[in-house]
């Protein structure tokens, strides 16, 4: 019986004291802004990004809406794509006209160094059929500022999917990037 009484007293003390451990809310107008990303860790505060965030979000939303769609050579959507058909379809949905082949798309926009890649940029690779010239294209999803690798969405022979530039197949075939926005 005394053990029950002891537990009850400890519980009552905990309940009475616990409000003092709660977060103190100040009555003055002091506010704290929540940080929702960690970009400040990777660059200086004055870093300028050369893109329209809303336009990039729209392009990536459109691209991701086709995840898993089949690969078919020569098709440009909406039910099946080849790589350049996919990029031209996605950008066209956002009022940006791209030429139809990956080689032609590589001539559009401005060249971008790998160190300056941003979401929405087009990235180009050779392919087994293209020899040393452009044979594949994808859209940058995000860039790891520490390793320099990037994820990109593209129509591969396994369908529309996201791959990483550090995968052996793509790391050996990377050619360059273009910014068309």
């Amino acid at each position: 019986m005394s053990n029950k009484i002891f537990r009850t007293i400890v519980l009552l003390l905990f309940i009475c004291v616990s409000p003092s451990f709660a977060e103190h809310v100040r009555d003055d107008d002091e506010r704290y802004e929540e940080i929702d990303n960690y970009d400040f860790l990777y660059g200086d505060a004055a870093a300028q990004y050369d893109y329209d965030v809303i336009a990039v979000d729209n392009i990536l939303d459109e691209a991701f809406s086709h995840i898993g769609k089949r690969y078919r050579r020569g098709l440009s959507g909406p039910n099946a794509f080849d790589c350049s058909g996919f990029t031209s379809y996605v950008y066209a949905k956002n009022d940006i006209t791209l030429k139809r082949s990956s080689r032609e798309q590589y001539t559009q926009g401005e060249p971008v160094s790998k160190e300056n890649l941003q979401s929405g940029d087009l990235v180009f690779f050779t392919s087994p059929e293209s020899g040393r010239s452009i044979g594949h294209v994808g859209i940058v999803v995000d860039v790891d500022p520490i390793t320099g690798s990037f994820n990109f969405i593209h129509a591969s022979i396994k369908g529309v999917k996201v791959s990483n530039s550090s995968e052996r197949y793509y790391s050996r075939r990377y050619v360059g990037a273009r910014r068309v926005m």
Side-chain angles (χ1 to χ4, degrees):
M1 182 76 158
S2 65
N3 201 10
K4 275 188 167 180
I5 294 172
F6 178 74
R7 283 192 222 158
T8 305
I9 291 172
V10 169
L11 182 61
L12 286 172
L13 283 172
F14 180 75
I15 292 171
C16 293
V17 175
S18 63
S20 65
F21 294 117
E23 183 180 327
H24 176 68
V25 178
R26 299 179 82 165
D27 291 333
D28 60 5
D29 199 25
E30 186 175 327
R31 295 192 177 129
Y32 297 94
E33 185 176 329
E34 183 177 327
I35 297 172
D36 64 354
N37 66 45
Y38 298 95
D39 289 343
F40 65 93
L41 291 174
Y42 305 117
D44 63 25
Q48 295 294 316
Y49 296 100
D50 188 25
Y51 63 91
D52 179 348
V53 174
I54 294 171
V56 170
D57 283 348
N58 290 339
I59 283 174
L60 292 178
D61 286 346
E62 180 65 33
F64 275 96
S65 74
H66 299 286
I67 287 281
K69 298 256 178 107
R70 295 174 307 162
Y71 177 88
R72 290 293 182 263
R73 180 181 293 267
L75 293 185
S76 56
N79 298 315
F81 301 94
D82 67 11
C83 66
S84 57
F86 175 69
T87 54
S88 61
Y89 181 87
V90 167
Y91 277 84
K93 286 290 194 173
N94 289 278
D95 299 321
I96 298 171
T97 303
L98 294 180
K99 296 176 182 175
R100 181 54 183 88
S101 77
S102 56
R103 282 188 197 137
E104 291 175 317
Q105 289 177 10
Y106 190 64
T107 67
Q108 292 185 259
E110 299 296 321
V112 179
S113 68
K114 196 171 183 181
E115 297 77 29
N116 292 316
L117 281 176
Q118 297 176 154
S119 299
D121 288 342
L122 294 175
V123 285
F124 297 88
F125 305 86
T126 62
S127 69
E129 298 86 34
S130 68
R132 293 192 178 272
S133 64
I134 305 299
H136 191 65
V137 61
I139 303 168
V140 174
V141 174
D142 57 27
V143 180
D144 183 331
I146 294 174
T147 65
S149 69
F150 56 89
N151 291 312
F152 62 101
I153 187 167
H154 61 120
S156 77
I157 59 171
K158 295 180 180 178
V160 176
K161 66 179 216 160
V162 175
S163 297
N164 187 279
S165 64
S166 64
E167 293 173 29
R168 188 172 182 193
Y169 181 87
Y170 296 107
S171 65
R172 296 185 305 166
R173 289 180 166 82
Y174 179 77
V175 176
R178 306 292 282 194
R179 185 163 300 143
V180 295
M181 298 181 55

